[in-house]
Amino acid sequence: MTALAPSRTASQDYMTFESQVCAPNYLPIPVVLERGEGVWLYDKEGRKYLDMMSAYSAVSHGHCHPELVKELRDQAQTLCITSRAFYSSALAPFLQKICDMSGLEMVLPMNTGAEAVETAVKAARRWGYEIKGIPDNQAEIIVAHNNFHGRTTTVISFSSEEAYKHHFGPLTTGFKEVPFGDIDALEKAITARTCAFLVEPMQGEAGILIPPVGWLKKVRELCDRHNVLLILDEVQTGLGRTGKLFAFQHEGILPDGLILGKALGGGILPVSAFVSTREILNLFKPGSHGSTFAGNPLSAKVGLKALEILERDNYVQRSAELGNYLQNELKKLQSPLITTVRGSGLWVAVEIDPQKAPARLVCEALMAHGVLSKETHDTVVRLAPPLIIEKKQLDFAVQALKEALQDVESQI
Ligand SMILES: *Cc1c(COP(=O)(O)O)cnc(C)c1O
């Protein structure tokens, strides 16, 4: 041996390695993570970071929650994947729990958020033809401007973000867009061929946008009046993130369809669901829809345990109380870079003045102070920690942000 093989231990080398073998469809914050525990993440050099991103809200339970890891390990040694060619004793208890918590009646399990959205689109269209009586192939689904529902070809077909669609056509037709939070525009867009309004009750990837109070309630009334299904994508807002179990509870309504994902897998597995009424879900007949891995015993056990822990440990209340605290502390920051602070529960956007600095720069400075987050578009720093976070850890995050903002100010 003459020369040492190139070391892959240093973070810098690893980032180069990953960029050579992994498609560049993300622009990661330059940190190489190796281990997680609760609200903390550790990089290859053993540096410790507070996770204020929680994998786009998938890690509400914190990293490697010991009870979830135990459930995973126990079930992994018992039965993992059966496909739905057979019944499994793990599935029904999980789905029953989702029904009990949401107030809806039946569930179609899937794996990723985008797949559950696809499922909702299929359900809404079938309902449109078979119950509402829309002529075949003419059903329309209304969506909101700046929506985010995932990345499959049909789902990007109704995105307003050009970067999501560029050179991925031809796209799926049958979607119509209205401004988010605008009840009059929605009413004007509804026709006899409208089968559903599909919307996030609060928009996540658009930058944590909160609609006017009362809007969702009016949407519910409008949908009832015109016999249109209200389908809420709560992949990100659901399961406590906004300070209620589901964001629709802020307005005391119940949707006809509810899409869940992200935190449903306890930060361990991809688990998603389309939750709805018997009338709607019974429109799926054997052979009409499916997924090899959906509803597998391993996911069902971890998902059920994740929901039980969320209830037992009062994640919803924590999110509401600590979210208010975080927002108040952030509003005290006197930084010329911040234009607004908004959010709901532990789901907060710090809007950075684009004239002064890109949000990306703030996130990179934040990393240097031991806190991880990611910009949304060019202007928003998103703060969405695991719901198990404690007050003193939020104080640490706010202090780090304060220092990061000062660093950025001194650079510009
Ligand atoms: C993340 C997200 C999705 C897509 O989920 P994936 O698991 O990434 O496919 C869908 N809808 C909303 C609102 C989301 O935030």
Side-chain angles (χ1 to χ4, degrees):
M1 264 237 282
T2 51
L4 285 171
S7 157
R8 290 290 175 208
T9 54
S11 287
Q12 195 55 52
D13 286 348
Y14 189 86
M15 287 186 255
T16 307
F17 184 24
E18 187 172 301
S19 68
Q20 283 162 356
V21 291
C22 186
N25 57 324
Y26 278 84
L27 181 64
I29 295 285
V31 59
V32 182
L33 299 173
E34 205 156 57
R35 191 166 70 81
E37 190 183 345
V39 296
W40 301 102
L41 288 164
Y42 299 83
D43 71 8
K44 280 189 83 70
E45 281 80 23
R47 279 182 295 248
K48 182 178 171 182
Y49 303 88
L50 180 64
D51 186 1
M52 289 297 287
M53 195 14 221
S54 46
Y56 300 92
S57 303
V59 186
S60 291
H61 296 70
H63 295 279
C64 306
H65 191 292
E67 285 170 274
L68 291 173
V69 170
K70 182 175 186 307
E71 192 72 11
L72 178 83
R73 192 182 280 142
D74 289 349
Q75 187 60 30
Q77 291 169 335
T78 308
L79 183 64
C80 296
I81 312 285
T82 50
S83 84
R84 289 193 49 213
F86 311 104
Y87 292 89
S88 95
S89 59
L91 185 56
F94 172 47
L95 305 188
Q96 181 65 56
K97 184 74 182 166
I98 296 176
C99 292
D100 292 346
M101 290 174 80
S102 64
L104 288 160
E105 297 171 330
M106 223 182 212
V107 184
L108 201 161
M110 293 300 278
N111 311 283
T112 66
E115 286 174 318
V117 173
E118 289 274 349
T119 304
V121 167
K122 286 185 181 178
R125 286 177 167 182
R126 201 165 257 209
W127 177 88
Y129 302 128
E130 298 183 6
I131 307 286
K132 184 165 176 172
I134 298 169
D136 201 18
N137 286 322
Q138 291 187 26
E140 291 168 352
I141 295 177
I142 301 174
V143 298
H145 185 65
N146 282 334
N147 69 73
F148 184 86
H149 299 285
R151 301 293 199 152
T152 62
T153 312
T154 287
V155 171
I156 59 157
S157 298
F158 52 89
S159 170
S160 41
E161 194 65 44
E162 195 43 42
Y164 297 175
K165 300 191 282 193
H166 177 66
H167 283 176
F168 293 145
L171 301 174
T172 309
T173 56
F175 300 95
K176 223 190 216 176
E177 182 191 293
V178 296
F180 181 65
D182 183 338
I183 194 74
D184 297 331
L186 177 62
E187 177 142 41
K188 285 201 192 87
I190 292 173
T191 72
R193 286 169 296 157
T194 307
C195 62
F197 179 42
L198 165 62
V199 72
E200 300 156 84
M202 298 176 185
Q203 289 188 321
E205 295 315 293
I208 309 185
L209 303 183
I210 317 291
V213 173
W215 168 76
L216 194 60
K217 209 175 183 130
K218 288 189 201 137
V219 168
R220 177 70 277 181
E221 288 161 11
L222 203 56
C223 287
D224 285 342
R225 199 160 352 115
H226 294 275
N227 195 24
V228 168
L229 299 180
L230 173 58
I231 297 181
L232 296 182
D233 182 347
E234 295 230 31
V235 169
Q236 193 161 161
T237 55
L239 304 178
R241 179 52 60 186
T242 71
K244 296 275 187 193
L245 182 56
F246 300 106
F248 66 71
Q249 294 170 337
H250 288 286
E251 301 244 340
I253 62 138
L254 191 64
D256 303 295
L258 172 67
I259 305 165
L260 299 178
K262 294 201 166 117
L264 188 59
I268 293 195
L269 290 170
V271 185
S272 70
F274 176 58
V275 193
S276 187
T277 61
R278 289 214 165 80
E279 178 190 53
I280 293 167
L281 283 172
N282 277 326
L283 297 171
F284 286 103
K285 303 300 176 198
S288 61
H289 188 49
S291 156
T292 305
F293 290 102
N296 69 71
L298 194 61
S299 297
K301 283 283 191 167
V302 170
L304 176 59
K305 190 55 123 185
L307 293 176
E308 287 170 353
I309 291 171
L310 185 148
E311 274 186 341
R312 185 198 65 197
D313 294 349
N314 302 313
Y315 283 13
V316 178
Q317 198 189 337
R318 295 186 68 82
S319 177
E321 290 171 9
L322 292 169
N324 279 338
Y325 177 75
L326 176 61
Q327 273 199 60
N328 286 335
E329 293 303 300
L330 289 167
K331 281 175 184 160
K332 290 183 202 157
L333 291 181
Q334 301 270 315
S335 170
L337 297 184
I338 298 179
T339 55
T340 31
V341 172
R342 60 169 177 269
S344 185
L346 280 171
W347 204 48
V348 180
V350 178
E351 184 98 36
I352 305 296
D353 184 347
Q355 306 295 319
K356 301 213 167 100
R360 173 80 183 193
L361 214 57
V362 178
C363 290
E364 290 184 0
L366 203 49
M367 181 190 93
H369 288 281
V371 172
L372 294 181
S373 185
K374 179 83 162 61
E375 77 280 7
T376 308
H377 297 281
D378 293 332
T379 55
V380 173
V381 175
R382 166 206 323 245
L383 299 175
L387 303 184
I388 59 165
I389 198 164
E390 289 169 14
K391 209 172 187 174
K392 62 177 188 294
Q393 296 161 340
L394 289 174
D395 291 338
F396 175 77
V398 173
Q399 181 60 26
L401 181 62
K402 186 176 176 177
E403 288 165 21
L405 288 164
Q406 284 164 359
D407 293 351
V408 172
E409 276 168 48
S410 67
Q411 283 169 41
I412 57 177

